[in-house]
Amino acid sequence: MKQRIDSHRRRVLQGVAGTAALGALPRFAFAQAAPVKIGLILPMTGPFASTGKQISAACKLYIERNGDTVAGRKVELIVKDDGGLQPETTKRIAQEMVVQDKVTILAGFGLTPLAFAAAPVATEAKVPMVVMAAGTQIIPQRSPFIVRTGFTLPQNTAPIATWAAKNKIKRVFSLVTDYAPGLDAEKAFQARFSSAGGTTVESVRTPLRNPDYAPFLQRAKDSKADALFVFVPSGEGLALMKQFEERGLKQAGMKLIGPGDVVDDDLLESMGAAAVGVITSMHYSAAHDSPENKAYVAAMMKANPGMRPNFHSVGGYDGMHLIYEAVKKQPNGSGEQLVEAMKGMKWVSPRGPMMIDPATRDVVQTVYLREVKMVNGQPWNIEFARFENVGPAG
Ligand code: PHB
């Protein structure tokens, strides 16, 4: 602490040395503005560790590119691992961050049950909670202090249902992970697909922990549906794709469709040719063709060799942007004032244009249709159509 004050004091002194006699310096010139402490709670270990690694890397990159002070306040990132599976752990870490670390903002939240667990802590402490990853639609309703920078499942699912109904897909077998975002995806798909004339022939749910996709994929194959609709959370796509290939569903002519979590860019290279032809709708592809995204992907890959940035990473990057901009608007704002400042914020992200809907505190953004194609020997999600200004309900 002393060292920090000393170095700050030195900077202040250097700044004024040319204009004022040191003896005349007012005392307040030495007061240090309180830091902006961001408590980032993420799964850094366990089956969803890729989410934590992607988001923490993106948050660090944001600081590197935009400086570690905002509105004269130092930005401090405190990263804690919740392991991804135990809501009580996430809640305990959130409490510790609020009480002991006195964080300005809570952020991260890799899975829905973990975001649900932390929501009452944010409400009680009146601390903004920036949800960067978890995607169940109702999350922001759990606390007036929640603002989301990632995506919702209905938002990313409705466009693929519209596309399927228009592209000769009449009968679909649905498979989702059996927890809140899976149920959101299942519901959003079936509502949109059936209103467009399609039929869901069977709907199955696989467990979040230790799923075995093989028997479900065999049933899907036997159904002779035109397509398999899938939602699995990021981190699970590789296991599902392996079974999809081994069971010969692709060879049997069955298309794989869904929101883009199953072809997460973090794992896509490991999936290789098996993923080619998968058609999904999603708010982010590492192949998105814009100057902002090209610079983002190059910087992420330079800072994290071998890691292709995925959709969760932009939730983190844009979450940092939202925090910086809110602090600029309200340099010493309370939790309530920071949330107010976040409402209605609009910017161009590596994913494309986005905004925070002031009514729901949720993200409104472009959702793209994409197909996995080989480019220079590597699979990429290549965007071929877009739906603009898609809200949290899809
Ligand atoms: C979630 O738990 O809300 C979640 C996690 C990973 C995803 C999507 C949703 O890819």
Side-chain angles (χ1 to χ4, degrees), residues 6 47 52 56 96 104 111 118 126 153 155 173 206 221 224 231 288-289 337 339 364 373 376:
D6 284 347
S56 59
E96 284 168 8
T104 320
L111 287 100
K126 298 190 182 348
L153 265 306
Q155 180 174 59
F173 187 102
T206 54
K221 188 179 178 195
K224 299 201 162 38
F231 165 77
H288 178 64
D289 191 8
Q337 287 169 324
V339 170
V364 177
K373 291 190 170 164
N376 300 328

mmCIF file of all heavy atoms in Angstrom, residues 6 47 52 56 96 104 111 118 126 153 155 173 206 221 224 231 288-289 337 339 364 373 376:
data_model
loop_
_atom_site.group_PDB
_atom_site.id
_atom_site.type_symbol
_atom_site.label_atom_id
_atom_site.label_comp_id
_atom_site.label_asym_id
_atom_site.label_seq_id
_atom_site.Cartn_x
_atom_site.Cartn_y
_atom_site.Cartn_z
ATOM 1 N N ASP A 6 3.235 5.948 -2.549
ATOM 2 C CA ASP A 6 4.471 6.658 -2.876
ATOM 3 C C ASP A 6 4.611 6.890 -4.369
ATOM 4 O O ASP A 6 4.954 7.986 -4.806
ATOM 5 C CB ASP A 6 5.679 5.867 -2.359
ATOM 6 C CG ASP A 6 5.814 6.031 -0.849
ATOM 7 O OD1 ASP A 6 5.145 6.922 -0.290
ATOM 8 O OD2 ASP A 6 6.564 5.269 -0.249
ATOM 9 N N PRO A 47 -14.982 -28.850 -15.371
ATOM 10 C CA PRO A 47 -15.422 -29.062 -16.759
ATOM 11 C C PRO A 47 -15.712 -27.778 -17.539
ATOM 12 O O PRO A 47 -15.763 -27.807 -18.764
ATOM 13 C CB PRO A 47 -16.711 -29.885 -16.606
ATOM 14 C CG PRO A 47 -17.119 -29.771 -15.171
ATOM 15 C CD PRO A 47 -15.888 -29.446 -14.389
ATOM 16 N N GLY A 52 -13.870 -19.738 -17.862
ATOM 17 C CA GLY A 52 -13.093 -18.869 -16.978
ATOM 18 C C GLY A 52 -11.824 -18.363 -17.645
ATOM 19 O O GLY A 52 -11.476 -17.180 -17.526
ATOM 20 N N SER A 56 -11.372 -14.387 -18.314
ATOM 21 C CA SER A 56 -10.330 -13.657 -17.582
ATOM 22 C C SER A 56 -9.287 -13.119 -18.569
ATOM 23 O O SER A 56 -8.809 -11.986 -18.417
ATOM 24 C CB SER A 56 -9.694 -14.520 -16.496
ATOM 25 O OG SER A 56 -9.128 -15.676 -17.047
ATOM 26 N N GLU A 96 -17.617 -12.836 0.273
ATOM 27 C CA GLU A 96 -16.269 -12.443 0.707
ATOM 28 C C GLU A 96 -15.781 -11.223 -0.069
ATOM 29 O O GLU A 96 -15.156 -10.318 0.479
ATOM 30 C CB GLU A 96 -15.284 -13.601 0.491
ATOM 31 C CG GLU A 96 -15.431 -14.691 1.531
ATOM 32 C CD GLU A 96 -14.665 -15.961 1.149
ATOM 33 O OE1 GLU A 96 -13.897 -15.956 0.167
ATOM 34 O OE2 GLU A 96 -14.874 -16.968 1.843
ATOM 35 N N THR A 104 -16.175 -2.952 -5.968
ATOM 36 C CA THR A 104 -17.102 -1.963 -6.539
ATOM 37 C C THR A 104 -18.156 -2.687 -7.369
ATOM 38 O O THR A 104 -19.310 -2.268 -7.437
ATOM 39 C CB THR A 104 -16.311 -1.004 -7.478
ATOM 40 O OG1 THR A 104 -15.050 -0.697 -6.893
ATOM 41 C CG2 THR A 104 -17.099 0.254 -7.782
ATOM 42 N N LEU A 111 -22.044 -20.043 -15.223
ATOM 43 C CA LEU A 111 -23.230 -20.872 -15.467
ATOM 44 C C LEU A 111 -24.421 -20.291 -14.715
ATOM 45 O O LEU A 111 -24.264 -19.667 -13.655
ATOM 46 C CB LEU A 111 -22.995 -22.322 -15.005
ATOM 47 C CG LEU A 111 -22.050 -23.112 -15.916
ATOM 48 C CD1 LEU A 111 -20.662 -23.163 -15.312
ATOM 49 C CD2 LEU A 111 -22.563 -24.511 -16.185
ATOM 50 N N ALA A 118 -25.544 -15.900 -6.725
ATOM 51 C CA ALA A 118 -24.898 -14.639 -6.330
ATOM 52 C C ALA A 118 -25.864 -13.458 -6.330
ATOM 53 O O ALA A 118 -25.596 -12.441 -5.685
ATOM 54 C CB ALA A 118 -23.717 -14.339 -7.258
ATOM 55 N N LYS A 126 -26.026 -3.914 -2.690
ATOM 56 C CA LYS A 126 -26.208 -2.823 -3.668
ATOM 57 C C LYS A 126 -24.958 -2.653 -4.542
ATOM 58 O O LYS A 126 -24.470 -1.538 -4.767
ATOM 59 C CB LYS A 126 -26.547 -1.510 -2.965
ATOM 60 C CG LYS A 126 -27.858 -1.521 -2.172
ATOM 61 C CD LYS A 126 -28.184 -0.106 -1.759
ATOM 62 C CE LYS A 126 -29.415 0.137 -0.934
ATOM 63 N NZ LYS A 126 -30.397 -0.866 -0.744
ATOM 64 N N LEU A 153 -30.290 -17.458 -24.168
ATOM 65 C CA LEU A 153 -30.564 -18.638 -25.001
ATOM 66 C C LEU A 153 -31.698 -18.409 -25.994
ATOM 67 O O LEU A 153 -31.557 -18.737 -27.181
ATOM 68 C CB LEU A 153 -30.825 -19.869 -24.131
ATOM 69 C CG LEU A 153 -29.597 -20.753 -23.889
ATOM 70 C CD1 LEU A 153 -28.936 -21.169 -25.203
ATOM 71 C CD2 LEU A 153 -28.562 -20.051 -23.039
ATOM 72 N N GLN A 155 -32.545 -15.678 -27.384
ATOM 73 C CA GLN A 155 -31.987 -14.764 -28.392
ATOM 74 C C GLN A 155 -31.153 -15.519 -29.435
ATOM 75 O O GLN A 155 -31.263 -15.271 -30.636
ATOM 76 C CB GLN A 155 -31.092 -13.786 -27.619
ATOM 77 C CG GLN A 155 -30.375 -12.721 -28.378
ATOM 78 C CD GLN A 155 -29.674 -11.798 -27.379
ATOM 79 O OE1 GLN A 155 -28.834 -12.232 -26.580
ATOM 80 N NE2 GLN A 155 -30.029 -10.516 -27.396
ATOM 81 N N PHE A 173 -35.397 -33.660 -34.081
ATOM 82 C CA PHE A 173 -35.188 -34.335 -32.795
ATOM 83 C C PHE A 173 -34.426 -33.341 -31.920
ATOM 84 O O PHE A 173 -33.401 -32.806 -32.341
ATOM 85 C CB PHE A 173 -34.370 -35.612 -33.016
ATOM 86 C CG PHE A 173 -34.230 -36.474 -31.799
ATOM 87 C CD1 PHE A 173 -35.009 -37.622 -31.647
ATOM 88 C CD2 PHE A 173 -33.302 -36.166 -30.798
ATOM 89 C CE1 PHE A 173 -34.872 -38.443 -30.518
ATOM 90 C CE2 PHE A 173 -33.164 -36.969 -29.669
ATOM 91 C CZ PHE A 173 -33.955 -38.115 -29.536
ATOM 92 N N THR A 206 -30.342 -34.203 -21.357
ATOM 93 C CA THR A 206 -29.192 -34.958 -20.822
ATOM 94 C C THR A 206 -28.686 -34.263 -19.554
ATOM 95 O O THR A 206 -28.808 -33.042 -19.436
ATOM 96 C CB THR A 206 -28.062 -35.019 -21.863
ATOM 97 O OG1 THR A 206 -27.749 -33.683 -22.273
ATOM 98 C CG2 THR A 206 -28.483 -35.811 -23.095
ATOM 99 N N LYS A 221 -30.915 -40.871 -34.208
ATOM 100 C CA LYS A 221 -30.671 -41.460 -35.536
ATOM 101 C C LYS A 221 -31.869 -42.313 -35.955
ATOM 102 O O LYS A 221 -32.354 -42.232 -37.091
ATOM 103 C CB LYS A 221 -29.398 -42.304 -35.486
ATOM 104 C CG LYS A 221 -28.964 -42.790 -36.854
ATOM 105 C CD LYS A 221 -27.688 -43.601 -36.755
ATOM 106 C CE LYS A 221 -27.283 -44.112 -38.118
ATOM 107 N NZ LYS A 221 -26.280 -45.179 -37.995
ATOM 108 N N LYS A 224 -35.073 -40.829 -37.576
ATOM 109 C CA LYS A 224 -35.018 -40.393 -38.986
ATOM 110 C C LYS A 224 -35.530 -38.959 -39.183
ATOM 111 O O LYS A 224 -36.104 -38.618 -40.223
ATOM 112 C CB LYS A 224 -35.792 -41.368 -39.890
ATOM 113 C CG LYS A 224 -35.238 -42.786 -39.864
ATOM 114 C CD LYS A 224 -35.653 -43.561 -41.091
ATOM 115 C CE LYS A 224 -34.816 -44.794 -41.363
ATOM 116 N NZ LYS A 224 -34.372 -45.576 -40.222
ATOM 117 N N PHE A 231 -28.696 -28.111 -27.746
ATOM 118 C CA PHE A 231 -28.013 -27.145 -26.891
ATOM 119 C C PHE A 231 -27.226 -27.908 -25.835
ATOM 120 O O PHE A 231 -27.803 -28.701 -25.070
ATOM 121 C CB PHE A 231 -28.952 -26.175 -26.155
ATOM 122 C CG PHE A 231 -28.207 -25.476 -25.032
ATOM 123 C CD1 PHE A 231 -27.334 -24.444 -25.304
ATOM 124 C CD2 PHE A 231 -28.315 -25.914 -23.716
ATOM 125 C CE1 PHE A 231 -26.586 -23.840 -24.282
ATOM 126 C CE2 PHE A 231 -27.567 -25.322 -22.684
ATOM 127 C CZ PHE A 231 -26.708 -24.276 -22.978
ATOM 128 N N HIS A 288 -15.908 -13.553 -37.431
ATOM 129 C CA HIS A 288 -16.712 -12.372 -37.782
ATOM 130 C C HIS A 288 -15.839 -11.350 -38.512
ATOM 131 O O HIS A 288 -14.760 -10.999 -38.038
ATOM 132 C CB HIS A 288 -17.309 -11.756 -36.508
ATOM 133 C CG HIS A 288 -18.102 -10.516 -36.770
ATOM 134 N ND1 HIS A 288 -19.256 -10.522 -37.522
ATOM 135 C CD2 HIS A 288 -17.897 -9.218 -36.405
ATOM 136 C CE1 HIS A 288 -19.741 -9.289 -37.591
ATOM 137 N NE2 HIS A 288 -18.933 -8.487 -36.926
ATOM 138 N N ASP A 289 -16.360 -10.887 -39.670
ATOM 139 C CA ASP A 289 -15.543 -10.060 -40.548
ATOM 140 C C ASP A 289 -15.751 -8.573 -40.255
ATOM 141 O O ASP A 289 -16.612 -7.928 -40.841
ATOM 142 C CB ASP A 289 -15.911 -10.399 -42.006
ATOM 143 C CG ASP A 289 -14.936 -9.783 -42.986
ATOM 144 O OD1 ASP A 289 -13.899 -9.237 -42.544
ATOM 145 O OD2 ASP A 289 -15.213 -9.830 -44.203
ATOM 146 N N GLN A 337 -26.132 4.152 -9.005
ATOM 147 C CA GLN A 337 -25.787 5.116 -10.062
ATOM 148 C C GLN A 337 -25.006 4.445 -11.191
ATOM 149 O O GLN A 337 -25.195 4.787 -12.356
ATOM 150 C CB GLN A 337 -24.979 6.276 -9.466
ATOM 151 C CG GLN A 337 -25.858 7.202 -8.641
ATOM 152 C CD GLN A 337 -25.044 8.203 -7.838
ATOM 153 O OE1 GLN A 337 -23.949 7.894 -7.344
ATOM 154 N NE2 GLN A 337 -25.578 9.393 -7.679
ATOM 155 N N VAL A 339 -25.340 1.281 -12.138
ATOM 156 C CA VAL A 339 -26.316 0.497 -12.919
ATOM 157 C C VAL A 339 -27.115 1.432 -13.826
ATOM 158 O O VAL A 339 -27.319 1.150 -15.014
ATOM 159 C CB VAL A 339 -27.251 -0.331 -12.004
ATOM 160 C CG1 VAL A 339 -28.395 -0.941 -12.795
ATOM 161 C CG2 VAL A 339 -26.465 -1.434 -11.299
ATOM 162 N N VAL A 364 -29.052 -6.449 -26.199
ATOM 163 C CA VAL A 364 -29.740 -6.452 -27.497
ATOM 164 C C VAL A 364 -28.625 -6.441 -28.542
ATOM 165 O O VAL A 364 -27.716 -5.608 -28.456
ATOM 166 C CB VAL A 364 -30.627 -5.196 -27.655
ATOM 167 C CG1 VAL A 364 -31.279 -5.166 -29.038
ATOM 168 C CG2 VAL A 364 -31.688 -5.148 -26.560
ATOM 169 N N LYS A 373 -17.190 -24.262 -41.792
ATOM 170 C CA LYS A 373 -16.494 -24.550 -43.055
ATOM 171 C C LYS A 373 -15.001 -24.622 -42.791
ATOM 172 O O LYS A 373 -14.503 -23.950 -41.883
ATOM 173 C CB LYS A 373 -16.752 -23.430 -44.065
ATOM 174 C CG LYS A 373 -18.181 -23.403 -44.558
ATOM 175 C CD LYS A 373 -18.340 -22.471 -45.716
ATOM 176 C CE LYS A 373 -19.726 -22.683 -46.308
ATOM 177 N NZ LYS A 373 -20.135 -21.617 -47.163
ATOM 178 N N ASN A 376 -8.449 -22.720 -44.945
ATOM 179 C CA ASN A 376 -7.008 -22.995 -44.757
ATOM 180 C C ASN A 376 -6.774 -24.164 -43.802
ATOM 181 O O ASN A 376 -5.931 -24.086 -42.909
ATOM 182 C CB ASN A 376 -6.278 -21.751 -44.239
ATOM 183 C CG ASN A 376 -6.394 -20.583 -45.198
ATOM 184 O OD1 ASN A 376 -6.461 -20.793 -46.417
ATOM 185 N ND2 ASN A 376 -6.459 -19.373 -44.669
#
